Amino acid sequence: PARLIIFDIYENNAYAIEQELKSTCPDLPLTVLIGSVRDSRRLDDVFRKYRPDIVYHAAAHKHVPLMEHNCCEAIENNVFGTLNTVELSEKYSVERFMMVSTDKAVNPTNIMGASKRLCEMVIQTFDYMVKEKKLGNLPLLYTHAEDSGETDTLKECQYAETEFVAVRFGNVLGSNGSVIPLFKKQIAAGGPITVTH
């Protein structure tokens, strides 16, 4: 890529990825930024400055038991963070937006799965509205454009062509939030393994 931008709320992960990429791809133009998808002002600054062509959106709270006890945080981060990122992708004419979802979004039985299903519905709605040239029919969550002197709205983005896609992952071996690292710890400690079904 001409430039790879890593945007993460957790600086330890961002730092680790930055160090790995500097080691394995020393010629890669790399920018590492800290921020949250909840903060539409920060996101707008990033989109305005870097004008990304492709966005891979993987920001989410994904630990099922924690989200059961922190429902509002799951919705605010997963759903509204996704909506912020989607709206700004449209505003800045991103070519393709890909969101990482979860198998738990299929007939969800928990808050985390339900929040990710809502994210998928946001993606599907925007993709449909872009293809049908009806983007101006959507309400705008991004409410502080006036603060920066801008007047862009989704109505003015009617001819945008961003492709919105969601992909569902299951438990990816070794990924953060996967049950696999938990099983490995349980095995190392002599068990038992907490298989629930």
Side-chain angles (χ1 to χ4, degrees):
R3 173 159 302 279
L4 177 63
I5 300 159
I6 296 172
F7 182 78
D8 199 331
I9 194 169
Y10 187 48
E11 74 274 13
N12 290 342
N13 282 349
Y15 178 78
I17 294 169
E18 178 184 39
Q19 295 310 302
E20 180 182 340
L21 288 172
K22 281 182 176 179
S23 172
T24 59
C25 307
D27 297 328
L28 174 70
L30 178 64
T31 300
V32 179
L33 304 169
I34 303 301
S36 171
V37 293
R38 294 169 146 185
D39 184 351
S40 57
R41 282 190 170 98
R42 173 72 170 134
L43 271 178
D44 189 86
D45 290 343
V46 171
F47 274 80
R48 184 184 313 113
K49 182 173 182 178
Y50 294 101
R51 305 284 175 150
D53 298 314
I54 300 170
V55 171
Y56 293 98
H57 174 59
H61 290 319
K62 58 187 180 178
H63 288 277
V64 172
L66 279 175
M67 292 307 100
E68 288 300 300
H69 300 290
N70 296 280
C71 305
C72 291
E73 294 300 313
I75 298 300
E76 186 172 341
N77 189 70
N78 295 0
V79 179
F80 289 107
T82 295
L83 189 54
N84 286 337
T85 312
V86 163
E87 287 182 351
L88 288 166
S89 293
E90 197 57 63
K91 177 179 176 182
Y92 289 102
S93 302
V94 167
E95 292 173 24
R96 181 171 295 133
F97 179 101
M98 180 177 289
M99 182 195 76
V100 176
S101 189
T102 172
D103 56 348
K104 292 166 186 67
V106 182
N107 299 321
T109 59
N110 53 61
I111 292 296
M112 193 282 284
S115 72
K116 293 300 281 183
R117 179 65 189 119
L118 286 169
C119 294
E120 291 177 356
M121 294 169 77
V122 167
I123 299 300
Q124 291 168 327
T125 299
F126 268 77
D127 194 60
Y128 172 80
M129 293 302 215
V130 166
K131 288 177 176 151
E132 296 297 316
K133 308 292 186 205
K134 296 180 178 179
L135 209 52
N137 294 350
L138 290 172
L140 186 64
L141 179 68
Y142 179 73
T143 58
H144 47 264
E146 316 80 46
D147 295 353
S148 61
E150 297 176 14
T151 57
D152 288 343
T153 66
L154 291 177
K155 288 182 173 59
E156 293 163 350
C157 297
Q158 293 217 61
Y159 303 104
E161 296 183 4
T162 303
E163 179 184 15
F164 291 98
V165 178
V167 59
R168 288 177 176 162
F169 284 4
N171 281 313
V172 177
L173 189 61
S175 68
N176 285 337
S178 166
V179 73
I180 305 300
L182 173 63
F183 288 167
K184 288 170 74 175
K185 283 182 184 176
Q186 291 172 339
I187 290 167
I193 301 171
T194 53
V195 178
T196 58
H197 193 284

